[in-house]
C-alpha cells in the first residue's frame, strides 16, 4: 500500500514561471492538506481539500496560488508567476477522515526560484 | 498565528538521557498530535491524545495533556542517536490541523 506520493521532489523555476506540484494521497484517502515549510521553521497550513471540493483555503495567498483535487488524479498545487519568496518545501498530507485524525505525509516538493 | 507553540526551540542532550518537549495552544481542541521530522523528510505521526485523555504511552514515548493549562508534553525516555529530529505538536482548529514551529532535538553521542 503506497504512501503519499509527491512529485516532483525538486523543482527549479525562474521568476515569472509557473510551478505545479502534484500529490497522490494514500489509497482510500479522500482528504488532502497542503503545507509550506521554510528552512528551520514549522509547517504553515495552506489549504484543505476533499475530492472536487476546497474545504478551507484560508492559508493560501490571495493571488498566484491555487489548488485542486479532482475526482480522478492527484491533487495539484499551482503557483503562477513564481517569485523568490515562494522558494520553500511544500508538503502534502492525506487522511481518511475529516480533520480530526492522523495525517500521512509525503516527502515534500522543494521549490527553488532563481 | 500558529495554534501550537513548542518549547524549547532547540534541545541537546546526551544519549541515554530523557528528552522533554512542551507544547502550548490557545483554544479548545478535539485532540493533540505529535509528529517527528527527520532532516529533509516528511513528517511522521507519533501519537494522538484526545481531549478527554490525560496521559498516553507508546514505546519510549509518553505524552501528557492538561486542557486546563492548554498544554501538552512529549517525553522520550532513554534517548538514542536516531531520535535526533524536529518534533512538532499539532492541534485541530475547525477542520484544519495546525502545527507549531517545532523543537529541534539533537542527541549527543
Amino acid at each position: 500500500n503506497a504512501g503519499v506520493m509527491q512529485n516532483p521532489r525538486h523543482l527549479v523555476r525562474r521568476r515569472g514561471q509557473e510551478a505545479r506540484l502534484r500529490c497522490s494521497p494514500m489509497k482510500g484517502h479522500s482528504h488532502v492538506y497542503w503545507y509550506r515549510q521554510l528552512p528551520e521553521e514549522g509547517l504553515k497550513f495552506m489549504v484543505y481539500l476533499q475530492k472536487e471540493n476546497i474545504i478551507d483555503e484560508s492559508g493560501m495567498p490571495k493571488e498566484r496560488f491555487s489548488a485542486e483535487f479532482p475526482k480522478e488524479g492527484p491533487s495539484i498545487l499551482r503557483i503562477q508567476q513564481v517569485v523568490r519568496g515562494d522558494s520553500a518545501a511544500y508538503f502534502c498530507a492525506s487522511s481518511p477522515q475529516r480533520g480530526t485524525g492522523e495525517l500521512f505525509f509525503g516527502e515534500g516538493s522543494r521549490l527553488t526560484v532563481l | 498565528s500558529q495554534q501550537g507553540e513548542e518549547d524549547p526551540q532547540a534541545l541537546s542532550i546526551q544519549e541515554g538521557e530523557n528528552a522533554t518537549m512542551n507544547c502550548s495552544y490557545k483554544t479548545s481542541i478535539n485532540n493533540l498530535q505529535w509528529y517527528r521530522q527527520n532532516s529533509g523528510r516528511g513528517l511522521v505521526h507519533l501519537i494522538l491524545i484526545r481531549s478527554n485523555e490525560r496521559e498516553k504511552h507508546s514505546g519510549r514515548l509518553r505524552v501528557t495533556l492538561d486542557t486546563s493549562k492548554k498544554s501538552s508534553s512529549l517525553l522520550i525516555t532513554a534517548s538514542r542517536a536516531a531520535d535526533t529530529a524536529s518534533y512538532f505538536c499539532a492541534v485541530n482548529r475547525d477542520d484544519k490541523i495546525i502545527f507549531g514551529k517545532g523543537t529541534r532535538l539533537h542527541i549527543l553521542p
Side-chain angles (χ1 to χ4, degrees), chain A:
Chain A
N1 198 6
V4 177
M5 303 300 292
Q6 288 190 248
N7 68 83
R9 292 292 310 278
H10 300 275
L11 183 63
V12 178
R13 285 287 179 265
R14 297 191 180 279
R15 281 178 295 170
Q17 292 184 319
E18 179 180 287
R20 281 189 180 228
L21 310 178
R22 289 176 290 277
C23 170
S24 296
M26 286 185 70
K27 187 176 181 181
H29 288 194
S30 59
H31 302 257
V32 166
Y33 300 76
W34 284 93
Y35 291 87
R36 178 164 66 179
Q37 186 179 38
L38 295 172
E40 305 298 321
E41 295 202 4
L43 276 72
K44 182 176 182 295
F45 170 81
M46 298 183 75
V47 62
Y48 165 40
L49 310 107
Q50 290 181 31
K51 284 278 188 183
E52 300 183 276
N53 285 306
I54 296 174
I55 305 302
D56 188 326
E57 58 181 346
S58 59
M60 291 275 272
K62 293 288 185 282
E63 297 177 347
R64 302 188 298 107
F65 285 72
S66 62
E68 62 177 8
F69 189 15
K71 186 177 180 180
E72 301 291 337
S75 175
I76 306 285
L77 179 67
R78 182 184 179 204
I79 311 172
Q80 294 177 289
Q81 299 175 336
V82 296
V83 300
R84 288 212 173 114
D86 297 332
S87 295
Y90 293 84
F91 288 93
C92 167
S94 73
S95 170
Q97 62 194 65
R98 191 176 181 117
T100 58
E102 175 184 351
L103 294 182
F104 295 80
F105 278 83
E107 294 291 355
S109 292
R110 281 151 187 82
L111 172 65
T112 301
V113 180
L114 301 177

Side-chain angles (χ1 to χ4, degrees), chain B residues 92-108:
Chain B
N92 292 109
R93 188 176 70 191
D94 304 323
D95 282 324
K96 298 179 291 194
I97 297 177
I98 305 295
F99 287 80
K101 293 184 178 180
T103 292
R104 290 185 297 282
L105 175 64
H106 184 56
I107 307 300
L108 303 168

Side-chain angles (χ1 to χ4, degrees), chain B residues 1-74:
Chain B
S1 63
Q2 295 292 347
Q3 178 77 321
E5 294 291 337
E6 291 89 345
D7 163 58
Q9 290 187 343
L11 179 63
S12 292
I13 60 171
Q14 294 293 138
E15 192 169 11
E17 293 181 339
N18 296 341
T20 299
M21 290 158 272
N22 303 296
C23 170
S24 60
Y25 57 93
K26 296 178 181 175
T27 62
S28 61
I29 59 172
N30 295 321
N31 61 56
L32 185 144
Q33 305 178 50
W34 285 90
Y35 289 78
R36 184 186 72 223
Q37 183 182 34
N38 289 90
S39 181
R41 305 295 299 274
L43 276 72
V44 174
H45 181 263
L46 294 175
I47 197 165
L48 180 152
I49 186 165
R50 302 192 188 285
S51 59
N52 61 354
E53 297 176 309
R54 291 296 167 259
E55 187 170 312
K56 202 162 182 179
H57 297 254
S58 177
R60 293 184 296 113
L61 305 180
R62 174 182 163 236
V63 168
T64 63
L65 180 64
D66 187 334
T67 53
S68 66
K69 294 181 179 178
K70 292 185 168 56
S71 67
S72 173
S73 68
L74 170 67

